[in-house]
Amino acid sequence: KDKESGKIISDLSSVDDKYIVLKGGKGGKGNTKFATPTRQAPDFAEPGMPGEERHVTLELKLLADVGLLGFPNVGKSTLLSKVSKAQPKIANYHFTTLEPNLGVVAMPGINPFVIADIPGIIEGASEGVGLGIQFLRHIERTRLLLHIVDVSGIEGRNPVEDFIKINEELKKYKLDLTDRPQIVVMNKLDLLYDKSYLDEFRKEIEGLGYSEIYAISAATGEGVAEVMKACAEKLQTIPVIETIYDVEDFFIPEIKQFTYDVEIDEEGVFVVSGSFVDRLLNAVDIHNPSHLRYFHKVLGNKGVLDRLKEMGIEDGDFIRLNDFEFEYYA
């Protein structure tokens, strides 16, 4: 993205995508290009011109088939470690995971898929609370969401309220994320004292419009294979998501013409200004006589000297380009 405007320069979302953000300056000529029969080893070389400059923001969005969604400490990292060779940090405190982790699920009888452990999202994440927006953007490219809910209640939170709050954050961040298919996973069965709560939770979630609900224990592995199989089957029916942008989302670079202007100041000095001047002075060493010969040649080739003559310049008059001032002699 262009840092100043925040608009998109390019979105590299496919394998082998490439984009030239900035172009380097035109190369100069080596000293051999200026060799003559009488000057076989010239000490002058034409410098290259400066390249383009721009401040940009590089934003990473993970490319995964399935995104693990849920509050901190609901068991997302544990699940990822069980179904893939990924080794995320696992501990019993909030925000153990501070950056997304990717893993490939390759189990017998299913097509392999990539799963991403998205760091725990909290209420207010869509407005930047915590590291919310940094986490939410990784969900954009996932085709299927695996919403993990801690039904054990050991954190002292209401599992149904947790589920609703996370989906509210998705809706606030981007409306189309709520349309993304979701499989709901009731985790931490091994810590659930009253198993009858599973039916109660399932009934409430089904009332919200979600029908695919599974119960697992990521810690013991109970029910995990069934969920992964359901994900693989679901992915067969979900097309690859292409991000759709509006035309106004894109950054349109200003085409810079290297122009110059000439005016006479109150002291009678002919002042040449503009982007052409900056480029020329960056390319020459004004203290080198050979460079100065090239400097005067460029002024002639670009029509600057003809313009000065039209404005009535005479021998002995002064010309100024930025901080460089010199006398004119035809």
Side-chain angles (χ1 to χ4, degrees), residues 270 305 308-315 317-319 328:
F270 289 78
L305 296 181
L308 291 167
K309 290 174 184 176
E310 290 173 4
M311 296 179 68
I313 195 168
E314 296 180 354
D315 287 355
D317 285 341
F318 281 90
I319 303 171
Y328 170 80

Side-chain angles (χ1 to χ4, degrees), residues 234-251:
K234 190 83 172 174
L235 288 171
Q236 299 302 308
T237 66
I238 305 172
V240 175
I241 296 168
E242 293 289 340
T243 306
I244 300 174
Y245 299 106
D246 293 327
V247 175
E248 55 267 23
D249 292 334
F250 283 94
F251 174 72

Side-chain angles (χ1 to χ4, degrees), residues 186-306:
M186 302 181 286
N187 190 27
K188 300 193 180 181
L189 282 183
D190 54 308
L191 299 177
L192 182 63
Y193 177 73
D194 183 5
K195 295 291 194 292
S196 66
Y197 178 70
L198 295 177
D199 293 331
E200 182 184 331
F201 178 84
R202 186 186 298 273
K203 187 176 179 180
E204 293 207 50
I205 298 303
E206 286 177 343
L208 295 172
Y210 299 90
S211 58
E212 295 187 72
I213 306 169
Y214 294 83
I216 72 166
S217 169
T220 66
E222 180 184 352
V224 170
E226 186 183 0
V227 172
M228 293 301 107
K229 186 177 180 181
C231 289
E233 291 174 353
K234 190 83 172 174
L235 288 171
Q236 299 302 308
T237 66
I238 305 172
V240 175
I241 296 168
E242 293 289 340
T243 306
I244 300 174
Y245 299 106
D246 293 327
V247 175
E248 55 267 23
D249 292 334
F250 283 94
F251 174 72
I252 301 175
E254 178 185 351
I255 299 175
K256 293 184 178 180
Q257 300 291 338
F258 293 102
T259 57
Y260 65 87
D261 190 27
V262 182
E263 59 183 6
I264 305 172
D265 69 9
E266 62 275 6
E267 297 176 352
V269 176
F270 289 78
V271 180
V272 184
S273 60
S275 56
F276 160 74
V277 172
D278 299 331
R279 300 268 293 191
L280 178 58
L281 289 178
N282 279 331
V284 298
D285 176 6
I286 58 174
H287 304 292
N288 185 315
S290 298
H291 280 227
L292 282 178
R293 283 193 290 273
Y294 168 74
F295 173 77
H296 286 287
K297 182 180 179 181
V298 172
L299 292 181
N301 291 342
K302 296 296 184 181
V304 178
L305 296 181
D306 290 338

Side-chain angles (χ1 to χ4, degrees), residues 174-190:
K174 278 197 172 180
L175 193 58
D176 63 342
L177 286 182
T178 56
D179 299 329
R180 206 67 50 89
Q182 270 190 50
I183 292 178
V184 184
V185 177
M186 302 181 286
N187 190 27
K188 300 193 180 181
L189 282 183
D190 54 308

Side-chain angles (χ1 to χ4, degrees), residues 110-122:
I110 68 171
N111 291 326
F113 59 88
V114 178
I115 191 167
D117 169 19
I118 310 297
I121 294 169
I122 60 175

